[in-house]
Amino acid sequence: MGGSVSSLNSTNVGYVFSIDGSGKIDSMAGGVNGPVNALYCDNDTQLVYVGGNFTSTVAGLTTSVATMRAVSTGSLAIYETATAAWRALSFHGLDGPVFDFTKVKDRVYAVGAFTSTADNATHIALGEQPINLNACTLTGGNSAETEGFNDPQNIICTSGADSTGNTWLMRDKLPGYYRIDFPFRTTPSLLRLMNTAYEGRGTKAIRVEAAQNNQVLAMSYLDPELRTEMFCGQSCPLPQDYNWHEFRFVDNDETLANITGVIINIVDWYGMGGGFNKVEMYQRGKYPL
């Protein structure tokens, strides 16, 4: 069964599930992350074809927005009843919703509002082409006055702990920014941040802007509890822990092409002020360094 149901009798079912003769519910490996419009059960192959308005199976989601697009199933998924697992597709699904299935001889056809497969630049792993931040100009706005915590270079290319010389902090109770100017124009794909918790400080929310015109850039991140891609612009949340947190640049290619740099505005903070312990950036197109 499938539809807009995300729970049944206190059981999470992820929009698609099965029930046996005794009433036992099978969540089908967690289901998918959006509404289901169509199901086709192929008795010959013991496969269940699932179509709808979703981007991935729940099992395919990870804790990283950088890789979740690489495992996207784009409105189409196939469940193997023999192994109780989702089958890996040879492509990244479709670029629109699926509404029905039909079988002709040994082929199953999907019907819906799509025009092509979803195999494009947004469905590759985003964290594969790092930007060399050592070659960039780094600026801290409202950097802390405390020696050892006021250098924006502290948080690049480092494995150091959250301590002096390895962390960048802002002044007490003031907003600020961390600016990265690239040596060449590029198309950013991913921003990775590790927060600071030094003396209870930390960044609670950010706003990312294009350095050349201060245009707010749309970002997305993976909600760790819902395992769903969330979108943000004016205020993107950053948990206060020592894990990497990833933000995907989601604007169209025209907006993101030839970016000269980014400004990471700290709009809210924990404790006395914001800051970061580590920062990384990645790009779609290579540029010479």
Side-chain angles (χ1 to χ4, degrees), residues 140-151 164 167-172 174 201 274:
N142 270 340
S143 296
E145 296 178 335
T146 307
E147 190 69 27
F149 291 96
N150 55 7
D151 187 351
T164 179
T167 296
W168 173 77
L169 298 177
M170 299 191 319
R171 295 185 185 183
D172 292 353
L174 288 175
R201 296 169 178 264

Side-chain angles (χ1 to χ4, degrees), residues 252-265:
N252 58 40
D253 290 342
E254 183 178 354
T255 299
L256 293 177
N258 298 316
I259 293 285
T260 63
V262 297
I263 304 170
I264 307 168
N265 294 281

Side-chain angles (χ1 to χ4, degrees), residues 1 15 18 30 45 62 75 79 95 105 117 128 149 226 229 235 243 253 270:
M1 301 179 69
Y15 302 98
S18 66
T45 61
T62 67
S75 305
Y79 185 76
D95 66 352
K105 295 183 178 180
T117 64
E128 293 183 349
F149 291 96
L226 300 176
E229 187 175 21
S235 181
N243 297 316
D253 290 342
Y270 301 96

